[in-house]
Amino acid sequence: MKKIYTTWLLMLVTTLLFAQVQSPEQFLGYKTGSRYTPHFNVVNYCKYLSTAAPNMVKVQQYGTTNEGRPLLLVFVASPENSGKLEQIRLNNLKLAGASSDDKSAPNENAPVIVWLSYNVHGNETSSSEAAMLTLYELVNPANNKTKEYLKNTVVVIDPCMNPDGRDRYVNWFNSVVGKSPNPEPFTREHIEPWPGGRPNHYYFDLNRDWAWQTQVESQQRMAAYNQWLPQVHVDFHEQGYNEPYYFAPAAEPFHEVITPWQREFQILIGRNNARYFDQNGWLFFTKERFDLFYPSYGDTYPIYKGAIGMTYEQGGHSRGGAAVINEDGDTLTLWDRLYHHYTTGMSTIEASADHASKLVQEFRKYYTNARTNPPGEFKAWLLKGDDTDRLQRLKELLEKNNIQYAWVYNGSFTGLNYFTNKNETVKAQAGDMVINMNQNNANLIKVLFERTSRLSDSATYDITAWSLPFVYGIKTYGLGAYVTNVSYETPPVRFARPLTTPVVAFAIKWSGLNSVRFLSELLKHKVKVRYAEQPFVASGEQFEKGTLIVTRTSNNIPESRLAEILEDASRKSGQIYFPIGSGFVDKGFDLGSDRVRMLKAPKVTLLAGDGISSLGYGEIWHYFDQVIDYPVNVVWVKDLDKDVLKETNVLIMPDGAYRNFDKATHDMLKEWVSSGGRLIALESAVAALAKNDWGIKLKDGDKKEDDKKEDRKDEYSMLRKYENRERDYLPNFNPGSIFRVEMDNSHPLGFGYDSTYYTLKQDDNIYDFFKEGMGWNVGVLKKSAQVSGFVGSKLKDRLKDGLLFGVQDQGRGAVIYLADNPVFRSFWENGKLLLANAVFMVAQ
């Protein structure tokens, strides 16, 4: 009797606790959707639910943003499943073949895992509000539907993937809105200032960073994601406020590795979402605009990890405010937006619960097929090691994505040379890497490594080429058979040993990003550094152009302190250095030659503000602050004047239109360059200079007179069909493709490179060659330069015989032109040395 009473009492207490679970409105003190909730209160509500419903809700902090805000996962499950979340997680990894310790058979009769991600773009703010409402209804004791869903479903909710960006928007909006929101779209509260809330702290688009993981938010999130590997993932977004709701199925192109089941379930989900939207009379669209191709989105990356990955888009981002009148004359409110997201979230959970068994079975099948029957023409890749850090950096990316690799020390192989596009025989040597395809992540490997990707539709939403051998500049061979004679032990790292003879100098090879980090450390410690313009041999070691040289004689630093600085720089950068016993080199120019130049520490200024791409700016800011750790002065573009230039050696113009630069500004900059300044212009900033008589000219796209006459004869070619209007741009479209650039690596801008560099080109801008004496044509496109990706038919002939990277000496200074972005999204690894050359090497 006592036992029955205790059980009854426990049930009563549990019921009372659940009855007291507060809704977001009750907890926050205002009506849901009436205002934006700052991130700290989103966090507080999630933590509150974990105490109000502890047998259903668990909160895990998986990371911290650059600005110190917590990143959370909230796990919601039935009381039965909530107590064995770790068991469910480990079993799920076994289903994916990702559990190396436990060899027992996985249980297919397991809950389906549904992962919902909100607010990756900071100014798409309704979704974090929707996340709180969704969490509440999942534990709401009065909601009998969600109790049924949770019997066989574990829901994982990331309530805000980009807290820094979201708070940037929310704090701004709350500071400008009145007691009631103004729905007129032209008013102040609908026009957020530069840079906007979309990106993270460093102004990166986190929805393009899933695979590359260049940002701390992505790195921490993906570490957690890959420990769970859900069967269903939804990424909640917002689009322009005039657009109706978008949900799956997605638009073409679908990548060819996407399975029939992954396609089928998108349709099933779409029909379930449509059922609820039709009941409410809400408009929506599917199968348009948002494709499944680029591998680093919040829908595609989960797909390549075995999930059903989907994007949901609600109208209203940024300019939606808390209420806005759209082009139909209707007022779209924050409540409308969040409730639409809440509805599709619940619909997705419902459909997943209804098909839980099938989802789990297909998930296991996906990974089994990946291991036993991997996709693509190659069974393995052989990546050649060299004297640079490129392979080490690729290794770090592979590890972030749980891609297995090994090392090979000998053997002869025949495969496709990515750089020549020809089948060749190659001998392996110590330090070469092998990636075999018979592993869990074979689909992701194929996507990341394929030389060319098959496009089912060229009207795609993002870049169409990202093959890692070109991204990293690593000589790679696609092999037709697995490589079995491999080692999983990392080859020993080469260390330079001190000479027994007197040391007159130390040399650091200029071979990659680690070299730049080493230089940054030296300059911050005010060590005087020289660099070699020509190759040389000293102490039996070969050194190439750009090698850094630290001599003892010119540095007024005690020998022991200099040794400490060098050791510390080597440790931080991962770059070795070599002691040199004599200024009399074995081959080449001696250390006292004028071919060995002094490298002065530059004072770098980076422009920011209106008219400049926030993403382009952010890539460079992040490069200095996080990648090479070198000081940079950020200046508002409106504040650029002679006083700023007096404190500047290197001025960087990120991608931007620079329409606010009048003739006086251009004249001021020209005078500064002539006096010794170095101006670096990137992307459309180069075009802005070309329009203002700086001496660089866009390549003339005019056709020959005979071609013009021929066009006049064929006037019917101008007739177009109205229904094709959205595709008429494609012949002149270059969303992002890889081109082979011929490099003059004897010029300081080309130091550390071979004669070839691979660039990601995203426009049709190409410039006339500099005539002799007018400038240096360092990186040029020649004929047949396209390597991978889609380029419109009318652009292919234009993108040849022109300049992409060049230098103009002007007076005592120089202008460095980088028409393509060498640090695109910070994942274009092989370009990072190019930007360093522009900053540190050119015109010293």
Side-chain angles (χ1 to χ4, degrees):
M1 184 69 183
K2 185 177 180 181
K3 184 177 181 181
I4 295 173
Y5 176 78
T6 302
T7 303
W8 177 85
L9 184 62
L10 182 62
M11 291 174 62
L12 177 62
V13 171
T14 302
T15 302
L16 290 172
L17 281 172
F18 271 104
Q20 294 171 3
V21 174
Q22 295 182 354
S23 67
E25 179 177 342
Q26 291 169 324
F27 180 83
L28 297 170
Y30 50 85
K31 185 174 175 58
T32 303
S34 64
R35 59 183 297 183
Y36 286 118
T37 306
H39 184 67
F40 77 91
N41 263 340
V42 175
V43 171
N44 286 340
Y45 185 66
C46 293
K47 290 182 176 179
Y48 158 75
L49 287 179
S50 70
T51 59
N55 64 339
M56 291 186 69
V57 180
K58 310 293 182 189
V59 174
Q60 172 192 341
Q61 181 172 340
Y62 68 83
T64 306
T65 69
N66 288 289
E67 297 176 17
R69 294 182 176 88
L71 295 162
L72 299 185
L73 292 177
V74 185
F75 298 85
V76 186
S78 66
E80 179 186 2
N81 287 328
S82 183
K84 52 182 182 181
L85 282 179
E86 182 64 6
Q87 181 182 335
I88 292 170
R89 184 185 73 83
L90 292 174
N91 181 73
N92 200 60
L93 293 180
K94 284 199 288 184
L95 289 167
S99 179
S100 58
D101 298 330
D102 188 352
K103 302 299 182 184
S104 61
N107 177 19
E108 279 195 1
N109 188 26
V112 64
I113 300 170
V114 177
W115 188 302
L116 307 179
S117 295
Y118 297 86
N119 239 130
V120 69
H121 291 148
N123 59 6
E124 299 175 8
T125 33
S126 71
S127 63
S128 286
E129 310 292 338
M132 291 189 289
L133 183 60
T134 302
L135 282 168
Y136 169 69
E137 289 299 339
L138 285 172
V139 300
N140 181 358
N143 193 325
N144 292 320
K145 282 187 175 181
T146 57
K147 290 187 180 69
E148 288 298 313
Y149 303 160
L150 293 177
K151 286 181 178 178
N152 61 356
T153 306
V154 172
V155 180
V156 186
I157 287 182
D158 187 334
C160 187
M161 303 159 72
N162 181 12
D164 292 350
R166 188 176 191 274
D167 266 4
R168 186 186 310 127
Y169 175 83
V170 169
N171 291 337
W172 166 79
F173 182 83
N174 287 341
S175 74
V176 298
V177 69
K179 64 180 181 180
S180 300
N182 188 332
E184 293 291 352
F186 57 82
T187 55
R188 178 179 65 161
E189 64 202 68
H190 296 281
I191 305 172
E192 61 178 320
W194 193 94
R198 179 184 177 93
N200 76 340
H201 173 81
Y202 283 106
Y203 304 171
F204 271 67
D205 186 334
L206 294 179
N207 193 41
R208 271 74 173 170
D209 196 44
W210 279 70
W212 320 131
Q213 298 172 48
T214 69
Q215 301 301 293
V216 293
E217 296 92 342
S218 306
Q219 293 161 10
Q220 296 168 118
R221 181 177 70 253
M222 298 318 301
Y225 185 93
N226 284 318
Q227 285 297 308
W228 278 89
L229 296 176
Q231 283 79 35
V232 177
H233 180 267
V234 179
D235 194 15
F236 289 87
H237 285 261
E238 291 191 86
Q239 54 189 329
Y241 63 83
N242 288 315
E243 302 290 340
Y245 201 97
Y246 162 83
F247 48 73
E252 292 287 349
F254 279 54
H255 196 282
E256 60 183 307
V257 303
I258 298 175
T259 67
W261 166 248
Q262 288 174 319
R263 292 169 178 259
E264 178 187 335
F265 197 76
Q266 288 225 345
I267 297 172
L268 189 153
I269 285 281
R271 292 192 185 282
N272 205 54
N273 289 342
R275 179 165 61 90
Y276 288 102
F277 272 58
D278 289 341
Q279 288 173 5
N280 287 281
W282 300 333
L283 292 177
F284 62 89
F285 67 98
T286 66
K287 303 183 289 293
E288 296 181 73
R289 194 176 304 155
F290 304 104
D291 59 72
L292 295 175
F293 195 65
Y294 174 69
S296 206
Y297 280 137
D299 51 11
T300 50
Y301 185 88
I303 283 176
Y304 303 143
K305 285 280 187 172
I308 310 298
M310 294 168 290
T311 290
Y312 293 167
E313 296 266 357
Q314 163 65 44
H317 79 78
S318 178
R319 301 194 66 167
V324 65
I325 300 172
N326 64 22
E327 62 186 7
D328 295 332
D330 297 327
T331 299
L332 178 69
T333 66
L334 176 57
W335 168 256
D336 297 330
R337 291 154 55 195
L338 76 87
Y339 199 73
H340 295 164
H341 269 334
Y342 161 77
T343 301
T344 54
M346 282 299 185
S347 169
T348 299
I349 296 170
E350 176 187 53
S352 300
D354 289 345
H355 298 83
S357 179
K358 177 73 169 175
L359 282 163
V360 172
Q361 291 169 11
E362 289 289 340
F363 176 78
R364 186 181 187 187
K365 179 181 174 182
Y366 179 94
Y367 280 102
T368 300
N369 287 343
R371 292 189 299 273
T372 60
N373 186 29
E377 59 182 313
F378 302 126
K379 298 295 185 185
W381 280 269
L382 174 68
L383 298 98
K384 298 294 291 177
D386 55 20
D387 206 19
T388 73
D389 57 16
R390 293 183 178 97
L391 207 55
Q392 172 63 30
R393 284 186 277 149
L394 175 63
K395 172 177 166 288
E396 293 169 2
L397 180 72
L398 299 178
E399 290 173 351
K400 289 175 183 176
N401 288 289
N402 290 351
I403 293 174
Q404 297 171 3
Y405 59 88
W407 306 97
V408 63
Y409 292 88
N410 51 50
S412 182
F413 303 92
T414 299
L416 180 72
N417 183 334
Y418 266 47
F419 289 179
T420 65
N421 200 26
K422 296 178 181 178
N423 282 309
E424 299 173 2
T425 299
V426 57
K427 288 186 177 181
Q429 60 186 21
D432 291 349
M433 177 186 283
V434 166
I435 300 173
N436 282 313
M437 280 288 280
N438 53 342
Q439 59 173 290
N440 293 328
N441 286 307
N443 288 304
L444 179 62
I445 296 169
K446 183 216 173 348
V447 173
L448 296 181
F449 276 84
E450 59 191 359
R451 191 177 189 277
T452 56
S453 302
R454 189 175 67 83
L455 274 165
S456 59
D457 190 331
S458 50
T460 183
Y461 197 66
D462 210 283
I463 64 173
T464 58
W466 50 77
S467 181
L468 293 183
F470 300 116
V471 171
Y472 283 79
I474 297 172
K475 196 170 187 179
T476 301
Y477 295 83
L479 308 180
Y482 299 127
V483 180
T484 56
N485 186 21
V486 299
S487 170
Y488 293 97
E489 292 186 9
T490 302
V493 178
R494 181 186 179 194
F495 290 99
R497 299 299 178 192
L499 297 179
T500 55
T501 57
V503 176
V504 300
F506 301 90
I508 302 99
K509 295 185 178 183
W510 190 252
S511 56
L513 189 57
N514 288 352
S515 307
V516 183
R517 291 169 172 155
F518 199 118
L519 173 62
S520 174
E521 288 299 315
L522 295 179
L523 296 180
K524 285 188 296 183
H525 284 91
K526 303 188 184 306
V527 175
K528 293 181 180 178
V529 182
R530 291 175 164 83
Y531 70 93
E533 281 195 334
Q534 294 296 324
F536 66 96
V537 177
S539 300
E541 187 74 28
Q542 175 72 41
F543 298 96
E544 298 300 328
K545 297 180 289 290
T547 294
L548 306 176
I549 299 170
V550 178
T551 61
R552 291 173 57 194
T553 53
S554 60
N555 279 288
N556 273 333
I557 300 174
E559 188 172 334
S560 59
R561 177 57 184 148
L562 182 59
E564 287 176 1
I565 293 171
L566 287 165
E567 281 296 321
D568 188 57
S570 180
R571 179 182 55 80
K572 287 182 177 179
S573 67
Q575 180 73 14
I576 63 175
Y577 62 95
F578 299 85
I580 297 177
S582 173
F584 191 106
V585 301
D586 303 336
K587 185 178 179 181
F589 294 94
D590 293 328
L591 300 191
S593 167
D594 63 1
R595 301 298 182 95
V596 178
R597 295 178 174 266
M598 184 65 73
L599 190 157
K600 297 178 182 178
K603 295 175 68 175
V604 182
T605 294
L606 174 62
L607 296 180
D610 291 336
I612 292 174
S613 163
S614 61
L615 298 177
Y617 159 80
E619 289 160 352
I620 301 171
W621 179 30
H622 178 263
Y623 175 82
F624 279 94
D625 207 41
Q626 291 290 330
V627 178
I628 67 171
D629 192 18
Y630 188 80
V632 61
N633 296 319
V634 176
V635 172
W636 292 118
V637 65
K638 64 180 178 62
D639 294 332
L640 180 64
D641 59 17
K642 290 184 177 180
D643 290 333
V644 171
L645 293 176
K646 285 178 183 178
E647 301 299 321
T648 302
N649 304 126
V650 173
L651 177 66
I652 301 179
M653 296 174 61
D655 183 29
Y658 295 93
R659 294 188 182 92
N660 58 333
F661 273 25
D662 55 16
K663 185 177 183 302
T665 302
H666 283 282
D667 289 344
M668 176 184 68
L669 287 175
K670 289 175 182 177
E671 180 182 350
W672 171 77
V673 171
S674 295
S675 300
R678 283 174 281 157
L679 178 63
I680 302 174
L682 292 95
E683 300 183 87
S684 57
V686 179
L689 296 185
K691 295 173 184 176
N692 287 275
D693 301 322
W694 278 80
I696 188 170
K697 294 183 179 180
L698 276 164
K699 187 173 170 58
D700 187 1
D702 290 343
K703 294 175 288 185
K704 296 179 181 178
E705 189 61 31
D706 290 343
D707 293 336
K708 294 179 182 179
K709 291 178 181 177
E710 190 64 32
D711 279 354
R712 284 195 290 269
K713 292 178 184 178
D714 187 17
E715 293 183 354
Y716 293 142
S717 65
M718 294 185 294
L719 301 179
R720 298 185 298 132
K721 281 192 173 184
Y722 182 77
E723 66 180 356
N724 295 333
R725 66 194 182 281
E726 292 186 358
R727 305 183 68 85
D728 284 340
Y729 71 95
L730 289 176
N732 293 297
F733 183 46
N734 178 19
S737 51
I738 297 174
F739 280 73
R740 181 177 56 254
V741 180
E742 305 296 327
M743 294 289 288
D744 173 9
N745 62 7
S746 70
H747 191 282
L749 186 58
F751 282 175
Y753 289 96
D754 294 328
S755 59
T756 303
Y757 168 82
Y758 294 91
T759 188
L760 181 70
K761 185 139 201 66
Q762 296 179 273
D763 56 28
D764 63 346
N765 286 346
I766 187 169
Y767 296 84
D768 285 338
F769 294 133
F770 288 126
K771 295 179 181 178
E772 186 174 354
M774 300 299 292
W776 301 101
N777 302 294
V778 181
V780 301
L781 293 186
K782 295 184 179 178
K783 293 180 176 62
S784 303
Q786 185 194 358
V787 173
S788 180
F790 171 77
V791 178
S793 57
K794 292 185 178 179
L795 293 186
K796 288 185 177 180
D797 286 338
R798 171 177 166 77
L799 293 175
K800 65 180 182 182
D801 299 328
L803 171 74
L804 289 182
F805 308 130
V807 177
Q808 269 186 309
D809 297 322
Q810 295 189 10
R812 293 188 289 112
V815 185
I816 300 102
Y817 301 104
L818 304 176
D820 287 345
N821 185 356
V823 292
F824 177 70
R825 294 178 185 165
S826 197
F827 92 89
W828 205 263
E829 289 288 335
N830 202 27
K832 292 176 179 177
L833 184 64
L834 186 65
L835 181 56
N837 285 342
V839 172
F840 296 107
M841 293 289 183
V842 174
Q844 280 281 356

